[in-house]
Amino acid sequence: MREFEYLKPTSLSEAIAMRVRYGDKAVILNGGTDVVIQLRERLIAPDYVIDIKGLEGMQELTFDPKEGLFIGAGVTMNAIGEDPNVKEHYPYLAEAALSVGSKQVRNRATCIGNIVNASPLCDTGTPLYVLDAKLVIAGSEGTREVPIREFITFVRRTVLGKDEIVLGIKVPYIPEAKGIFTKIARRKEVDLSTICGTVLKIGKSYRLAFGAVAPTPVRLDKTEKLLEGRDLTPELIDEAAELAQTEVSPISDVRASKEYRLDVVKVIVRRSLTTFMQEV
C-alpha cells in the first residue's frame, strides 16, 4: 500500500475545501470496504484520504410519511436492514441491504458507498431505482439533488464533481407500494450478485430495475409501459418477461454467461409478477 496523508475534517465546509484543494489526489473514506481494498491492491494510489464518517448528519437515518426515508452517507447496511421503519415500509430495501457481504462487512459498508462506487451490480441500487430516490450532494457551489438514475453514468462513473460530497439519499414513501427484491449469486451468502432485481407494484403500475445486466443498474421502461394499468394474467406476464430481456445488455464474465443472465431476467420478472397476481 502506497503511503498517503490521512485527513479527518470536522465540518462539511472543511471537507469540501479539502476536495477543492486536493482534487484527484484525494479519495473519500466512509465505510471503507471498497476504498481499503483498492488501496491494498494498489488499484488507487491517492496522496490524501479524507475521512468523512464523523461529519454531522452522516449517521442520520430518519423516516416521515410525508418526507419519506433519509439515509445519511455514513449509515451502514446493517443499520438499514435492521431499522424498524425500513423493515415496515421498505422491506425489499432492507432485504437488499442485508444481502451485502457478511455481517462484519455490513457493519462497515454503507448504502451511499454502494451507490457512489457505481458498480453495475450494487445490491441496494435496484430498490432505490424503482423508488426514484435522489442523492443529496454538497459542493463549493452549494447543495443539489440528483435522481439516482442520472447519478450513475457508467461502470465506476458518476456525475459527482471533484469538489462534491454525497450527504445522503432521499427515498420517497409510497404507502401502497409492494416490492420484491431478488438476488442471484454463486453462493447463498457472502457473494456479489450474479444478477439482482427489484419489482415494485403500485396499484396497477409496476416498476422494474435490474443490476449486473448493463454498465449501470437499469429501469425497464418499456416493460413498465406494457404493464401500466392492466390486470395481470399469465399471458401478460409471459409477454412482460419476454420484453424485459430486450431491455438489458448483459455480458459474459467469471460469474455467468450473457445467455444465463438473459434467462434469469425473464425468470425474475415472471416469478415476481406471478407473486403479485396471486396476492389479488
Side-chain angles (χ1 to χ4, degrees):
M1 186 183 297
R2 181 175 178 271
E3 289 189 1
F4 56 82
E5 185 174 348
Y6 171 79
L7 304 172
K8 191 173 179 61
T10 58
S11 67
L12 178 60
S13 59
E14 184 181 5
I16 292 172
M18 289 178 180
R19 288 281 281 162
V20 172
R21 181 176 180 182
Y22 299 119
D24 291 335
K25 295 180 180 180
V27 296
I28 294 292
L29 175 66
N30 193 5
T33 53
D34 284 312
V35 168
V36 171
I37 291 173
Q38 292 174 28
L39 287 168
R40 186 181 63 201
E41 300 296 327
R42 297 180 181 271
L43 299 174
I44 58 174
D47 293 326
Y48 306 91
V49 172
I50 306 172
D51 186 346
I52 65 169
K53 292 191 298 294
L55 296 182
E56 184 179 357
M58 291 295 176
Q59 307 301 325
E60 183 180 349
L61 179 59
T62 59
F63 172 76
D64 178 85
K66 292 183 179 180
E67 299 296 327
L69 181 70
F70 180 80
I71 303 171
V75 177
T76 67
M77 293 295 190
N78 275 339
I80 293 170
E82 296 167 2
D83 182 80
N85 285 315
V86 179
K87 290 194 293 185
E88 179 179 357
H89 302 297
Y90 310 86
Y92 43 94
L93 175 58
E95 184 179 353
L98 294 178
S99 77
V100 176
S102 65
K103 185 171 185 177
Q104 292 87 342
V105 168
R106 293 192 299 272
N107 277 334
R108 297 288 301 181
T110 66
C111 177
I112 294 302
N114 200 217
I115 301 303
V116 173
N117 197 40
S119 169
L121 49 79
C122 56
D123 293 307
T124 56
T126 62
L128 295 171
Y129 265 60
V130 296
L131 287 163
D132 289 331
K134 293 182 179 180
L135 285 100
V136 182
I137 302 170
S140 56
E141 298 298 320
T143 302
R144 62 183 178 130
E145 296 183 7
V146 178
I148 191 169
R149 292 183 72 177
E150 299 174 12
F151 181 75
I152 302 174
T153 59
F154 197 70
V155 180
R156 306 288 186 184
R157 297 181 191 173
T158 71
V159 300
L160 196 65
K162 295 180 180 180
D163 65 325
E164 292 184 316
I165 294 172
V166 177
L167 302 182
I169 190 163
K170 291 182 176 180
V171 187
Y173 174 52
I174 309 171
E176 68 273 29
K178 296 181 179 181
I180 298 173
F181 170 76
T182 304
K183 176 175 179 173
I184 305 297
R186 294 169 297 179
R187 297 188 300 271
K188 185 177 181 180
E189 295 179 349
V190 196
D191 199 3
L192 299 173
S193 290
T194 299
I195 186 171
C196 56
T198 301
V199 179
L200 193 72
K201 179 181 185 294
I202 308 170
K204 287 189 177 182
S205 295
Y206 298 86
R207 300 178 186 177
L208 301 87
F210 280 84
V213 295
T216 71
V218 291
R219 279 276 293 272
L220 307 189
D221 295 320
K222 293 179 182 178
T223 306
E224 293 178 7
K225 186 175 181 181
L226 171 70
L227 295 167
E228 178 68 33
R230 301 175 67 179
D231 292 322
L232 292 178
T233 63
E235 294 75 20
L236 178 59
I237 290 173
D238 284 342
E239 187 179 356
E242 294 290 341
L243 180 59
Q245 287 188 311
T246 70
E247 295 197 80
V248 297
S249 54
I251 61 171
S252 296
D253 59 19
V254 295
R255 294 188 182 87
S257 67
K258 170 184 177 180
E259 292 74 20
Y260 175 80
R261 286 190 167 101
L262 286 169
D263 285 343
V264 172
V265 167
K266 183 190 294 187
V267 170
I268 290 175
V269 171
R270 182 179 288 120
R271 287 180 178 176
S272 299
L273 293 177
T274 299
T275 297
F276 286 135
M277 180 182 68
Q278 294 171 345
E279 289 178 349
V280 176

